[in-house]
Amino acid sequence: MSEQQRIRPGEVAVETVPAADAWLRFIGHIHTPWQRREDCPRQGNVEGPACQIEVFEPWDQALSGLQPQSTLEVLYWLDQSRRDLVLQGPKGRDQPLGTFALRSPVRPNPIGSSLVRLIGIDGRMLRVRGLDCLDGTPLLDLKPARSAFIAQHDRLSG
Ligand code: SAM
């Protein structure tokens, strides 16, 4: 049994139905220094290492108007996650918690999001700080952060 399949005491896995196709398109890849999940930060930090977001053609045209030094919300597909746990026992907690009470990568649809600082744009490559995902994680979407999020983010990371 792989490490990913192992269940901790109190955790509950369920039978899942085959995924209906939501027609998601991966629009790029994220390049980070981390090859193993255990080496990734639990959450990104804008003081963390610079990472690169590679946007595939033709979506590079959609980068027009992005401002260096702005805060972006990055959505990505945590492709190495199991998807069948309803109760999880994160390290350091006595009692399991429901999946929707956690930001664990283990979820029915393993979408991750991070607020990042955009530090540079070179064609279809973005340089950012604030990510927490594995090297090669597929990119789902990029959005300018809403001002309320930015204020909170700056307070937490500043
Ligand atoms: N910031 C995102 C969020 O809150 O939605 C993700 C948080 S999740 C706790 C981050 C962790 O997911 C990392 O520490 C790593 O253990 C794991 N992880 C990173 N990239 C992954 C991937 N491609 N597939 C599965 N797990 C991944």
Side-chain angles (χ1 to χ4, degrees):
M1 188 186 284
S2 72
E3 172 60 28
Q4 217 212 333
Q5 293 303 317
R6 201 163 296 137
I7 276 201
R8 299 190 183 122
E11 291 190 332
V12 174
V14 293
E15 287 291 319
T16 55
V17 294
D21 193 337
W23 291 81
L24 284 177
R25 293 186 177 98
F26 296 155
I27 58 158
H29 276 137
I30 301 178
H31 303 282
T32 72
W34 306 295
Q35 308 298 328
R36 303 183 316 161
R37 270 178 292 184
E38 54 270 37
D39 296 333
C40 296
R42 294 274 283 274
Q43 288 293 337
N45 181 323
V46 290
E47 306 295 328
C51 299
Q52 285 192 306
I53 298 177
E54 176 186 357
V55 177
F56 298 151
E57 292 174 349
W59 300 103
D60 53 329
Q61 297 169 73
L63 298 173
S64 160
L66 282 187
Q67 297 294 324
Q69 301 307 325
S70 63
T71 301
L72 276 182
E73 186 178 359
V74 183
L75 300 174
Y76 39 96
W77 189 253
L78 296 159
D79 57 342
Q80 295 190 31
S81 294
R82 63 184 294 164
R83 301 173 64 174
D84 61 345
L85 292 189
V86 287
L87 288 182
Q88 302 183 39
K91 280 187 196 134
R93 276 191 197 264
D94 296 340
Q95 295 297 321
L97 280 175
T99 290
F100 301 141
L102 295 166
R103 291 198 72 101
S104 157
V106 176
R107 7 197 17 93
N109 295 302
I111 295 171
S113 69
S114 288
L115 291 177
V116 303
R117 176 79 25 87
L118 178 59
I119 53 177
I121 306 174
D122 183 8
R124 55 192 187 81
M125 303 294 284
L126 305 182
R127 260 171 83 78
V128 303
R129 292 185 197 276
L131 283 169
D132 53 18
C133 59
L134 288 169
D135 189 38
T137 295
L139 176 67
L140 290 176
D141 205 355
L142 297 167
K143 306 181 189 191
R146 286 189 289 161
S147 53
F149 289 171
I150 297 171
Q152 188 191 26
H153 189 239
D154 286 351
R155 213 171 42 248
L156 293 176
S157 61

